[in-house]
Amino acid sequence: FAADSKAVKTATDVVGTEYEEAVTALTALGVVTGYEDGTYQPEKTVTRAEMAVLIISELGLADSATGAKSSFP
Protein backbone atom coordinates (compact mmCIF):
# COMPACT_ATOMS: atom_id res chain seq x y z
CA PHE A 1 0.00 0.00 0.00
CA ALA A 2 1.47 3.28 -1.09
CA ALA A 3 0.06 6.71 -0.58
CA ASP A 4 -1.03 8.51 -3.72
CA SER A 5 1.77 10.87 -4.69
CA LYS A 6 -0.60 13.21 -6.48
CA ALA A 7 -1.46 16.16 -4.29
CA VAL A 8 -5.07 17.27 -4.47
CA LYS A 9 -5.28 20.95 -5.24
CA THR A 10 -8.14 22.54 -3.33
CA ALA A 11 -10.12 25.19 -5.17
CA THR A 12 -8.95 28.64 -4.10
CA ASP A 13 -12.42 29.89 -3.19
CA VAL A 14 -13.21 27.12 -0.69
CA VAL A 15 -10.04 27.20 1.43
CA GLY A 16 -11.03 27.98 5.02
CA THR A 17 -14.76 27.62 4.35
CA GLU A 18 -17.33 25.03 5.38
CA TYR A 19 -17.06 23.58 1.85
CA GLU A 20 -13.32 22.86 1.89
CA GLU A 21 -13.41 19.32 3.29
CA ALA A 22 -16.21 18.13 0.98
CA VAL A 23 -14.78 19.76 -2.14
CA THR A 24 -11.31 18.41 -1.39
CA ALA A 25 -12.68 14.88 -0.89
CA LEU A 26 -14.78 15.00 -4.07
CA THR A 27 -11.81 16.34 -6.02
CA ALA A 28 -9.56 13.56 -4.69
CA LEU A 29 -12.15 10.99 -5.78
CA GLY A 30 -12.35 12.52 -9.25
CA VAL A 31 -16.03 13.40 -8.88
CA VAL A 32 -15.52 17.13 -9.41
CA THR A 33 -12.70 19.21 -10.81
CA GLY A 34 -13.89 22.77 -10.41
CA TYR A 35 -13.50 25.50 -12.98
CA GLU A 36 -10.48 26.24 -15.16
CA ASP A 37 -9.66 29.36 -13.14
CA GLY A 38 -8.98 27.22 -10.03
CA THR A 39 -12.30 27.97 -8.31
CA TYR A 40 -15.19 25.74 -7.33
CA GLN A 41 -17.87 28.44 -6.93
CA PRO A 42 -19.87 26.62 -4.22
CA GLU A 43 -22.62 29.25 -4.14
CA LYS A 44 -23.24 29.03 -7.90
CA THR A 45 -26.28 27.11 -9.14
CA VAL A 46 -25.30 23.91 -10.95
CA THR A 47 -26.35 24.06 -14.60
CA ARG A 48 -28.22 21.28 -16.36
CA ALA A 49 -25.10 20.49 -18.40
CA GLU A 50 -22.91 20.30 -15.27
CA MET A 51 -25.40 17.98 -13.56
CA ALA A 52 -25.55 15.78 -16.65
CA VAL A 53 -21.76 15.44 -16.62
CA LEU A 54 -21.81 14.48 -12.92
CA ILE A 55 -24.54 11.87 -13.40
CA ILE A 56 -23.04 10.35 -16.56
CA SER A 57 -19.59 10.19 -14.97
CA GLU A 58 -20.77 8.62 -11.72
CA LEU A 59 -22.85 6.03 -13.57
CA GLY A 60 -19.73 5.06 -15.51
CA LEU A 61 -21.28 6.03 -18.84
CA ALA A 62 -18.83 8.75 -19.86
CA ASP A 63 -17.20 6.64 -22.59
CA SER A 64 -20.61 5.74 -24.04
CA ALA A 65 -21.78 9.34 -24.06
CA THR A 66 -18.70 10.88 -25.66
CA GLY A 67 -19.61 12.17 -29.08
CA ALA A 68 -23.15 10.81 -28.81
CA LYS A 69 -25.81 12.59 -30.82
CA SER A 70 -29.21 13.27 -29.34
CA SER A 71 -32.32 11.96 -31.10
CA PHE A 72 -34.33 14.86 -29.71
CA PRO A 73 -35.10 17.74 -32.06
Side-chain angles (χ1 to χ4, degrees):
F1 172 75
D4 188 357
S5 61
K6 284 184 168 180
V8 174
K9 186 171 182 176
T10 302
T12 58
D13 59 341
V14 297
V15 175
T17 69
E18 63 186 287
Y19 309 109
E20 183 176 8
E21 185 177 345
V23 172
T24 300
L26 292 171
T27 301
L29 292 170
V31 175
V32 297
T33 58
Y35 292 93
E36 291 178 2
D37 65 356
T39 64
Y40 182 74
Q41 302 178 15
E43 300 291 332
K44 182 180 175 199
T45 302
V46 176
T47 67
R48 182 179 293 165
E50 291 167 336
M51 182 56 71
V53 169
L54 286 170
I55 293 169
I56 295 296
S57 295
E58 290 312 299
L59 290 175
L61 301 173
D63 290 338
S64 308
T66 302
K69 300 288 182 189
S70 172
S71 61
F72 294 106

